[in-house]
Amino acid sequence: MDSKIILKAESLDGYLTEKDQAYLAQMDALYAKAMSSFKIISSGGFSSSIAAEEKRVIDVFNEMGNLMQEICNEVPGLQVFSFCTERGSHAEASRVIAKLRDIRTDHQEFVYYSQRAYEMLFRQAYTGSPSDDKNYLVVKTPVTAPVQNFSVHKIPDIDHKIENSVMCVMLRGALLPSMIMSKEIEEYSSKGFVTPFALFKIKRNDSKHENDMEYILDLKNSFFNLEELNGKDLIFADPMNATGGSLVTVVKYLLDQGVKPRSIKFFNVIAALKGALRVVRALDNCTVYTLWMDPVLNSSAYIMPGLGDAGDRLNGRDTEDSPRNIIQLIADYGTNITGLYRSQLRKIEQTVLGTV
């Protein structure tokens, strides 16, 4: 069997409906207007001219936001944080995304705001139901006078939602977000459940363009057990969903091997509208949760306005001649990260090294 599986972009576009295509064309036209203003703003000039163009950009982005909300209302599998949560949470999401986008945000800040983003996404997906029962946490505090003190805290009882989960990692940029999601599950589980991990090495062929893109799944350097995935709630956490190709490639491969997931959840900090639509059209019982939806892709299939390469901003950039393996990548996170996610790292080590 070939150790590499390739899926081409044409396969993905075939999942889109005619209405999807019409919406995407409408979004492309709106974003073209915004880019015309970007050119004027970035070239400098009179402050009055800049202010006028900024007003046009704001108007266009509001129009695109309203259109994306209309689309998501028609597609239940698309759950955008600012479209689905109470209004008071929207400013928090907007500020987190603004910091992640900002070219001035350094590595440490980027990690911090990524953690915040995934904590928000976890709450959106798992803890928002008022009908959830409660679990009680009894916590021992450092106060010992006049006797040892304890405190009592209520959290949602969501064991039934989380304890059938497997964390599926599309390696590199997805590693730390997956660890964050697994940590949230552990914290909300009444039994301290730590998700199993399935590790897939998949990459996009960046020599291709959006209309002929390829996605390569490297089975030789992936680590997973098919039997442990069958009937499970599969969770994928990737900072960016541009084309949807990586997720569809992995899941279609698993389905071809006889795996039948109970559900699929895909968590993104930013998702492109086209990629999100492709995912929910291509995969049954799949829900995309995203903190923010961006309108379009460029000709190289990068999200616009986007935030750059999230994997490089989280992990640092590999050199072509000496790419890091997963163990080296974890070591580079340092003691602060590895100490915080020690249970998750133990599971990953067991998966990669086959230790118990």
Side-chain angles (χ1 to χ4, degrees):
M1 178 186 295
D2 194 338
S3 65
K4 294 187 178 179
I5 308 294
I6 297 176
L7 182 76
K8 297 181 181 294
E10 305 90 272
S11 307
L12 295 170
D13 281 339
Y15 293 112
L16 298 174
T17 68
E18 289 185 13
K19 193 171 185 180
D20 292 338
Q21 298 280 17
Y23 277 137
L24 291 168
Q26 190 175 349
M27 200 67 72
D28 285 339
L30 286 170
Y31 202 77
K33 292 182 181 179
M35 286 196 293
S36 296
S37 293
F38 294 164
K39 290 179 182 178
I40 297 171
I41 294 169
S42 60
S43 66
F46 294 110
S47 58
S48 59
S49 299
I50 300 300
E53 291 304 324
E54 288 179 345
K55 174 63 168 59
R56 290 190 183 95
V57 167
I58 291 169
D59 290 342
V60 170
F61 268 76
N62 281 332
E63 189 173 352
M64 289 190 294
N66 291 334
L67 178 57
M68 283 189 282
Q69 187 162 5
E70 177 185 339
I71 295 167
C72 291
N73 286 340
E74 296 177 5
V75 185
L78 298 184
Q79 297 289 310
V80 180
F81 187 90
S82 57
F83 299 164
C84 303
T85 58
E86 70 282 357
R87 183 172 294 275
S89 299
H90 300 176
E92 181 187 7
S94 193
R95 282 301 300 154
V96 167
I97 293 295
K99 291 296 292 186
L100 288 167
R101 289 195 201 275
D102 197 326
I103 196 171
R104 297 168 298 180
T105 298
D106 64 17
H107 166 70
Q108 286 186 323
E109 269 196 308
F110 197 88
V111 170
Y112 167 74
Y113 283 104
S114 295
Q115 289 173 312
R116 281 186 59 183
Y118 275 98
E119 289 165 2
M120 294 163 67
L121 286 168
F122 180 86
R123 292 200 311 269
Q124 177 191 352
Y126 290 107
T127 68
S129 174
S131 63
D132 286 334
D133 293 331
K134 302 299 180 197
N135 273 332
Y136 288 88
L137 297 179
V138 180
V139 179
K140 186 177 182 179
T141 82
V143 177
T144 58
V147 295
Q148 174 65 60
N149 275 233
F150 296 83
S151 65
V152 177
H153 299 274
K154 288 190 292 187
I155 61 171
D157 180 3
I158 57 171
D159 287 350
H160 62 289
K161 298 180 183 179
I162 59 178
E163 293 190 348
N164 189 55
S165 301
V166 176
M167 192 60 55
C168 300
V169 185
M170 295 184 291
L171 289 179
R172 212 180 142 62
L175 179 59
L176 186 54
S178 300
M179 289 160 56
I180 296 167
M181 288 296 294
S182 178
K183 178 72 171 181
E184 289 297 295
I185 288 173
E186 180 185 9
E187 292 298 317
Y188 275 89
S189 167
S190 66
K191 307 177 188 69
F193 172 71
V194 180
T195 61
F197 280 79
L199 308 169
F200 302 92
K201 186 172 184 181
I202 187 164
K203 66 178 181 179
R204 199 170 77 176
N205 184 347
D206 285 330
S207 67
K208 301 290 186 176
H209 296 285
E210 203 275 332
N211 62 350
D212 66 350
M213 185 58 64
E214 292 180 347
Y215 309 87
I216 304 164
L217 172 60
D218 183 351
L219 298 177
K220 182 179 178 182
N221 292 297
S222 298
F223 304 91
F224 57 91
N225 185 328
L226 291 172
E227 292 181 0
E228 293 179 356
L229 300 173
N230 197 39
K232 298 297 184 178
D233 299 310
L234 304 186
I235 300 174
F236 294 81
D238 202 333
M240 307 284 280
N241 173 22
T243 65
S246 296
L247 179 71
V248 174
T249 301
V250 168
V251 174
K252 289 294 187 183
Y253 168 77
L254 294 177
L255 295 174
D256 288 345
Q257 303 308 303
V259 173
K260 296 179 180 178
R262 189 170 77 171
S263 70
I264 302 166
K265 289 182 174 65
F266 192 25
F267 292 91
N268 314 123
V269 176
I270 293 177
L273 175 62
K274 179 184 280 190
L277 282 169
R278 282 168 164 175
V279 165
V280 296
R281 299 302 190 203
L283 303 175
D284 292 334
N285 202 18
C286 178
T287 305
V288 172
Y289 295 91
T290 186
L291 200 61
W292 204 266
M293 184 165 280
D294 271 5
V296 297
L297 301 172
N298 65 15
S299 60
S300 297
Y302 293 126
I303 299 175
M304 295 196 297
L307 53 71
D309 189 315
D312 285 348
R313 295 185 74 181
L314 275 172
N315 302 322
R317 182 173 295 178
D318 279 340
T319 59
E320 286 293 329
D321 55 342
S322 59
R324 289 165 293 176
N325 62 30
I326 192 169
I327 301 299
Q328 291 172 313
L329 189 58
I330 289 170
D332 284 350
Y333 284 153
T335 55
N336 287 341
I337 294 294
T338 55
L340 183 61
Y341 299 107
R342 57 188 178 277
S343 298
Q344 286 65 42
L345 294 175
R346 192 176 300 116
K347 286 285 189 181
I348 291 170
E349 181 184 57
Q350 292 170 0
T351 302
V352 174
L353 301 179
T355 57
V356 178

